[in-house]
Amino acid sequence: MARMRITIKDIAERAGVSKTTVSFAFNDPRKISKATCERVMAIADELGYVPDPVARTLTTKRIGAIGLLLPQPMHEALKNPYLTELLQGIGAACLEHETSLLIVPPIKGRLLEAASRAAVDALLAIGVGPDHSIVDLIRKRHIPLLTIDGKPSAGMANVGIDDEEAAYTLMRYVTGLGHRDIAIVELETESYNEPAERSSLVRDRRRAGFGRALQEAGSLSPRVYSAVCSVEGGRAAAARILADGKASAIVAMADIVALGIMEHCAACGLSIPADISIVAFDDIEMAALLPPGLTTVRQPGFDKGYEAGRVLLGMLKGAEPEQISMNAELIVRGSAAALSSDAARALPFAAAAGTKA
Amino acid sequence: MARMRITIKDIAERAGVSKTTVSFAFNDPRKISKATCERVMAIADELGYVPDPVARTLTTKRIGAIGLLLPQPMHEALKNPYLTELLQGIGAACLEHETSLLIVPPIKGRLLEAASRAAVDALLAIGVGPDHSIVDLIRKRHIPLLTIDGKPSAGMANVGIDDEEAAYTLMRYVTGLGHRDIAIVELETESYNEPAERSSLVRDRRRAGFGRALQEAGSLSPRVYSAVCSVEGGRAAAARILADGKASAIVAMADIVALGIMEHCAACGLSIPADISIVAFDDIEMAALLPPGLTTVRQPGFDKGYEAGRVLLGMLKGAEPEQISMNAELIVRGSAAALSSDAARALPFAAAAGTKA
DNA sequence: CCATAAAGCTAAACCGCTTTAGGCTCGGGC
DNA sequence: GCCCGAGCCTAAAGCGGTTTAGCTTTATGG
C-alpha cells in the first residue's frame, strides 16, 4: 500500500508545534522564531513534506494557473502554428506572473463542461462572442475572462485585430493585381458544438471585408472552399480548386493552409505566382521561408497572446478589463503577382498596385 | 462588491434539503428521488450555481489535469515545432481520458518550485533522468511521473528513442557520403538550473553515437557549435560556421535549427546540397516542405506524446509504469549529397550510400 | 513594581465539497 | 401486529491547508 501523503499535521505533531506554526514556517517565517522555523523545516524535509497545492488553493483562492479554452481538440488546434505563436505570447505573460497555463479542450465536443471543471484563476477563450454560453458560465464562476479574436463589447476584455479591415485590405490587393477568378479557402471549424454558437466571429468579419473589396472590384463572386486547418487540409483544398479550374488567385484564411496549397500547386507543376497567386492570413514564421515567400496579412500572434495574458493577469490583481485592437499589416512577398499575359495587359493598373499595402 | 459565489450550501438552504442531497443531485442522481433532484437542479440553475472544482478535488483526489514540465519558458520551448508535435500527441491521449493539460514552465528558472505548486493528477517531464531532483519531489507528492526522452531506469516510466543509435545512423550516413569536415550544431539548453542537472541526456547519448560513427570513419573530429533552438538560432550558427570556413556538412540537433541554417546558406548563395550538406533530427512537417527537403532522423513526436500520455493516464488508473522505446528512422531527402567534385570522385562508394537508411 | 507592548505560539473556524454511517418512513410478508 | 428491507434523506466527519483571535511569556520603560 502506498504510504499516505505527509500532511502539515504530521509535521506539527513531530515537531511538537501547532499546524499554524508549520504553515507560518512555509508562508511567512517572520511570524515565528528562527529556531522554530528551522526545526520545522528540518522535520518537513526529513519527512518529505510537500504542501498540497489544492488544499492551499481552497483558502487562498489562487491556484497559480490560468486556462486557455480551445475551440478544438489539441491535436487539431495545434496544427496551426498561429496558435503556437499565440501560446508563446501567453507563455511570456504567464512567466512574468509566475503562472502556469492550463490547456482546456472540449470534453466530448462540449467545451462548456470542460470550462466548468477547469481549476484556474482566470480564463482565456478563443473566438467566443459576448453572447456565447461560455461567457455566462464564467460569470457564474466569478473568474475573469478575456476573449481572443472575440467581439469587443462593453465590460468584456478582448484582444484582436480588425478582421474586416484586414480582409478588405488583402482582397483589395488581390483584385488590384487584376485577379477576377478568386477562390477563397475558409476554415472548417468543428469547434463549439452548440450550432447557434458555431458561427465564427472572425470568419464573418472577414467575409464582410472580402465582400466589400469584391464589390468595389466589380461585384466579383468568388468560389468558396473550405479546408481543415493544416498543411494537409491545404493540399486537399488545392486539389479541389485546381480540379474546378477557373481560379487565378487563392485567398486562404490561414498561412498553414496556404503552405499546403502552395505545395500542391508546385507539385502539380504550377509556378507561383506566374500561374497562380496565393495569399493568406497570419504571417507565421514559415511563410517567409518557403519560396517564393507567402504574401499574407500579418497577425501579431505573439503580441496578441502576450497582451491577452497581460490584461487577464492584470484583472486578477484588480485591473479593469481592456479591449485591445492590434493592427494587421499586409506583408507582400512573392506568392502573388499581377494576373499574367493578356489578362495583365488588359488591366494596366494592376501591375503598379503590387507595392501598395 | 462582487457578490459571493453561490455554494452548495446556498442551494441546500433554498431547496430545504441537506448539502448531501445537493451533492447527490450533481454526482449520482440515482441516490435521490427524481422529484427532489429536479427541484434541486432547478434552483441550482436559477441561482447560477457551478460546483467549485478545487473543493471537489480536495476530497476526490482528482483534478482532471496532468502537467507537462517544460525545461524552458514557453516562449522558447515552443519555438521548436517538435514540441508542438509532442503536445499534439499528449493532447490526443488527454482527450480520450477527458483530461486537461497544464503547461508548467520553470518559475524564475526553478522548475522544482513550479512542479511542487502544480495542481495536477500526474506529471510528464521532458529530458530528466532518474537522478534528477524533480523525480524525488514528485515521489514525495505521490503522483505518477513519466519522463519523455529521459533515461530508462527501473520502476520509472519513460518514452523515448534510442538516441545513441539514431545519432550513429545519421553520422554514418554523412560520413558515408564522403564528408570529412563536419560541423555539429548542438542546442543551447538553458534549462534546469541546477548545474549538475543541466546535462542533457539526449545530447550525451547523441554525442556517443556521433563519436562512434566518426571513429569508424577514421577518427574524424568535427567542429562543434551551439545554437538557440529556433530558426533564428540556426541562421546565427550557420553564419559562424560559414565564417569558419571548413565544413562540407552540417549536422543539427533539431530540424528547426536546420531550417535556419538552410535559409542562411541559401541566402549566402550556397546551393544545397551541391555546396553544403545539411541533416538534422526530428522530421517536423516543414522538413519535407522546404526545398530541397531536409534529410533527417525522424522522431515520432506525435506518437511519443500520445504514448506518454496514454501510459501516464493509465498509471492513474493503476497500471504499471512502462518504458517505451520507439524507433527512429532516417528519412533521406535532398539536403545532403555526396561530397562534390574531386572529393566525390575520390570516394566512389559515397554516391550509392544515399538510398540506404 | 506595574502597566504595556511585543514576540511566539496555538485552538478553532473556515474554505466548499464528498462520503460515511445512520435515521426515519412506509409497504409488504408472515 | 411485528419485523424487515427499501427508499430517501441528513448530520457530521473529513480532505489539507490558511487565518483569525487570543493566550502566554518575556522584555520595556516610567
Side-chain angles (χ1 to χ4, degrees), chain A residues 179-237:
Chain A
H179 294 281
R180 292 294 171 264
D181 298 307
I182 299 171
I184 294 178
V185 181
E186 297 192 332
L187 264 26
E188 267 175 31
T189 83
E190 303 163 46
S191 46
Y192 306 102
N193 69 328
E194 307 295 334
E197 295 173 334
R198 263 205 199 169
S199 81
S200 156
L201 306 171
V202 168
R203 180 174 55 198
D204 293 347
R205 306 234 59 209
R206 287 187 184 171
R207 277 179 179 167
F210 286 159
R212 187 151 59 92
L214 291 165
Q215 196 62 36
E216 292 180 11
S219 302
L220 301 179
S221 50
R223 281 171 184 254
V224 178
Y225 298 79
S226 102
V228 171
C229 189
S230 67
V231 171
E232 190 48 45
R235 285 195 197 103

Side-chain angles (χ1 to χ4, degrees), chain B residues 146-230:
Chain B
L146 180 147
T147 55
I148 295 176
D149 297 336
K151 177 155 42 180
S153 86
M156 195 149 117
N158 180 69
V159 350
I161 62 169
D162 184 340
D163 276 292
E164 201 271 355
E165 186 62 26
Y168 173 77
T169 302
L170 183 60
M171 191 56 87
R172 271 298 291 198
Y173 176 69
V174 171
T175 58
L177 289 173
H179 293 281
R180 292 293 172 266
D181 298 308
I182 298 171
I184 294 178
V185 181
E186 297 192 332
L187 264 27
E188 267 174 31
T189 84
E190 302 161 47
S191 48
Y192 305 102
N193 68 329
E194 308 294 334
E197 297 173 332
R198 264 208 200 168
S199 82
S200 156
L201 305 170
V202 168
R203 180 173 55 199
D204 293 347
R205 306 234 57 210
R206 288 188 184 172
R207 278 180 178 166
F210 286 159
R212 187 151 60 90
L214 291 165
Q215 196 62 37
E216 291 179 13
S219 302
L220 301 179
S221 50
R223 280 171 185 254
V224 179
Y225 297 79
S226 102
V228 170
C229 189
S230 66

Side-chain angles (χ1 to χ4, degrees), chain A residues 296-311:
Chain A
T296 189
V297 173
R298 171 161 170 63
Q299 275 219 71
F302 183 94
D303 295 346
K304 269 163 97 170
Y306 181 78
E307 287 300 304
R310 187 183 63 72
V311 171

